[in-house]
Amino acid sequence: MEQITEDQIARLVTFVYERISDADSLQEEARRTVTALRLVADKQVAAVRYFRASRSESAAVAEHANASWNLLVSVAHIWRDHSEFPIDAAMETFEFDAENPLMPTR
């Protein structure tokens, strides 16, 4: 997470929030989908900001920060074909092992 700058976080967060529609203007299933997407984005943004501000240097805090950031990047990838996609900000903080995709490579 240390290699991710505050500028990258701000640009990715802005990009994601600009893509999520206003749920009030939608009907039924579309409204629920957008509301869920916004909730996921809100929680990941809050977690990234919390973990970045944390003074703790524990491995668990770092793993949570990485996981939150990577999920936010995954949400942004919904719009990876968009002309304004911030490719230099949407970098994952670790890669996954092909044989065990639930575990990050070290």
Side-chain angles (χ1 to χ4, degrees):
M1 195 68 213
E2 296 84 30
Q3 72 266 23
I4 305 299
T5 67
E6 287 299 321
D7 178 63
Q8 287 173 298
I9 293 170
R11 286 187 299 125
L12 190 70
V13 168
T14 300
F15 176 80
V16 168
Y17 282 153
E18 286 176 350
R19 307 282 92 62
I20 298 175
S21 303
D22 178 19
D24 293 337
S25 65
L26 301 173
Q27 302 279 328
E28 299 174 23
E29 192 64 29
R31 177 182 290 197
R32 285 189 288 275
T33 301
V34 167
T35 300
L37 188 56
R38 182 168 297 280
L39 179 66
V40 167
D42 287 346
K43 288 189 176 285
Q44 298 322 304
V45 169
V48 166
R49 298 236 184 260
Y50 172 80
F51 292 125
R52 291 282 287 203
S54 173
R55 302 264 186 241
S56 175
E57 299 202 11
S58 79
V61 169
E63 285 182 31
H64 285 290
N66 285 336
S68 295
W69 174 255
N70 287 340
L71 184 55
L72 187 59
V73 169
S74 294
V75 169
H77 274 275
I78 294 170
W79 300 282
R80 68 184 164 273
D81 296 334
H82 192 281
S83 63
E84 296 175 21
F85 183 75
I87 195 159
D88 59 326
M91 300 181 339
E92 291 193 52
T93 55
F94 55 80
E95 296 179 8
F96 292 95
D97 182 337
E99 292 182 25
N100 192 357
L102 298 179
M103 297 297 292
T105 57
R106 300 257 179 212

